[in-house]
Amino acid sequence: MVFFNGSSYRPFLLSGFPGLEDSHPVISILFCVLYLIALMGNITILVVIKVERSLHTSMYFFLSMLAASDLGICATTLPTLLKLFWFNVREIDFDACLIQMFFIHVFSLMESGILLTMAFDRYVAISNPLRYTTVLTDSTIAKIGVGLLLRAVAVIFPGPFLIKRLRFCKANVLSHSYCLHPDIIKLSCSDHRINSIYGLIIILITFGVDSVLILLSYLKILITVLGIASREEQFKALNTCVSHICAVLLVYVPMLGVSIIHRFGKHVPSMVHIIMGYIYLLIPPVLNPVVYCVKTREIRTRILGNLLKL
């Protein structure tokens, strides 16, 4: 068995759709459309929230953070995807792969944390509207944003160093056109149980805790709403949560699917791994702005108003 470590790390080889290499330029059209929708949608949300002072509230500040993290994921994954599908450039340097992996997972954790704060925002707005502006002040929102970033960086920071302690043999083909932690460690020829345990712990203390707290927030919201006498007021209160619930499902369902397949789906066809990987990283950035533009009247009104002025 030939091992590679230390200064002799070989580049990894990215994968598109095995067996469909001749169709990669055509397939890339779909990816370009999806990335274009994601970029334009999230940039539009950021611009509208920045320009319209009436939207300078905690709900929309958190939404702008979500849009920024979605843009971060797009900017991190787009270069290697386009190089692969347009120019058939499969090689990615070992350190560059670790850097890409780091930022992908940081932005993913940021998304999870932001969705949790948005759930808390809806809980405060519905259960205690009189204190809403005093609880979620601009300084508090800024501190939350910095805290979420520091949490994501601190949690993911050990990942690349734990991977560098591994040895890699001749197998160096990744399952996707970008680098993910579980995808890299499965190529190791040495014992990577520590890396697997680390990855599992990260999922439990971040996505796991966040999802439980989001669920508890919505249970509290539901209890509060059911205490409202008027059905019209109940519907109005719950309607403010629809966009956020959709965003939570768009992030957590693909993430859960990818995690289960990577850990327990050894006999699942490789095409399923590949498709789930793209769904995990592309669906939230593409559909989040669509959901918020459709379901949030303030944003929809501003966008339509600006389009009519053109």
Side-chain angles (χ1 to χ4, degrees):
M1 183 69 69
V2 181
F3 295 107
F4 298 86
N5 60 6
S7 60
S8 61
Y9 286 122
R10 293 193 309 163
F12 286 119
L13 294 179
L14 302 171
S15 295
F17 292 92
L20 298 175
E21 286 80 5
D22 292 339
S23 301
H24 277 178
V26 177
I27 297 173
S28 71
I29 297 174
L30 173 62
F31 284 113
C32 288
V33 171
L34 292 175
Y35 272 105
L36 185 61
I37 294 172
L39 293 172
M40 294 301 297
N42 287 291
I43 289 173
T44 299
I45 286 178
L46 288 173
V47 171
V48 169
I49 292 174
K50 178 178 175 57
V51 171
E52 297 292 337
R53 296 193 62 83
S54 61
L55 300 182
H56 289 185
T57 62
S58 60
M59 173 183 174
Y60 295 105
F61 285 143
F62 289 136
L63 177 56
S64 65
M65 292 182 195
L66 185 65
S69 65
D70 282 338
L71 286 174
I73 290 176
C74 290
T76 305
T77 58
L78 183 60
T80 54
L81 185 143
L82 291 184
K83 283 198 301 183
L84 173 64
F85 281 90
W86 282 1
F87 308 109
N88 198 33
V89 178
R90 298 187 63 192
E91 282 195 1
I92 180 170
D93 183 72
F94 184 86
D95 289 329
C97 188
L98 294 186
I99 292 172
Q100 185 186 50
M101 178 204 77
F102 175 81
F103 281 107
I104 287 175
H105 290 301
V106 163
F107 286 123
S108 295
L109 286 186
M110 281 287 293
E111 272 198 328
S112 178
I114 293 166
L115 290 173
L116 173 58
T117 57
M118 293 174 80
F120 175 71
D121 172 84
R122 291 298 84 209
Y123 169 66
V124 175
I126 291 173
S127 65
N128 205 339
L130 296 179
R131 295 190 58 198
Y132 180 59
T133 55
T134 58
V135 172
L136 292 168
T137 61
D138 290 350
S139 62
T140 301
I141 294 169
K143 291 176 183 176
I144 290 174
V146 173
L148 293 176
L149 177 60
L150 291 177
R151 183 190 77 154
V153 171
V155 167
I156 300 300
F157 188 74
F161 298 100
L162 287 175
I163 289 177
K164 282 213 165 189
R165 56 178 282 280
L166 300 176
R167 292 179 298 177
F168 293 86
C169 50
K170 288 188 175 181
N172 65 336
V173 181
L174 298 170
S175 302
H176 310 290
S177 57
Y178 46 80
C179 302
L180 295 176
H181 179 265
D183 201 21
I184 296 174
I185 64 174
K186 76 178 184 181
L187 297 179
S188 171
C189 293
S190 56
D191 186 358
H192 59 266
R193 281 179 294 180
I194 293 177
N195 299 74
S196 297
I197 293 171
Y198 161 77
L200 182 60
I201 291 174
I202 294 305
I203 290 175
L204 291 177
I205 67 174
T206 54
F207 290 104
V209 172
D210 289 350
S211 61
V212 170
L213 293 177
I214 290 172
L215 181 60
L216 290 175
S217 296
Y218 272 101
L219 286 176
K220 296 285 287 183
I221 289 172
L222 186 60
I223 292 171
T224 302
V225 170
L226 291 177
I228 299 174
S230 169
R231 282 191 173 275
E232 184 178 346
E233 290 179 348
Q234 290 178 352
F235 177 78
K236 184 178 180 181
L238 289 175
N239 193 48
T240 63
C241 302
V242 172
S243 299
H244 179 254
I245 293 173
C246 291
V248 170
L249 293 176
L250 288 173
V251 170
Y252 278 92
V253 172
M255 182 275 298
L256 183 62
V258 168
S259 299
I260 291 174
I261 287 176
H262 268 294
R263 295 185 182 279
F264 308 109
K266 293 182 180 180
H267 303 294
V268 174
S270 60
M271 190 62 70
V272 176
H273 284 266
I274 294 169
I275 294 174
M276 284 301 299
Y278 286 119
I279 290 175
Y280 164 60
L281 286 184
L282 273 177
I283 291 300
V286 170
L287 293 185
N288 277 341
V290 174
V291 168
Y292 275 96
C293 288
V294 171
K295 294 298 297 180
T296 307
R297 180 176 55 83
E298 290 81 2
I299 293 179
R300 185 173 66 249
T301 301
R302 265 68 178 187
I303 293 175
L304 291 175
N306 291 331
L307 288 176
L308 291 175
K309 291 177 182 179
L310 297 178

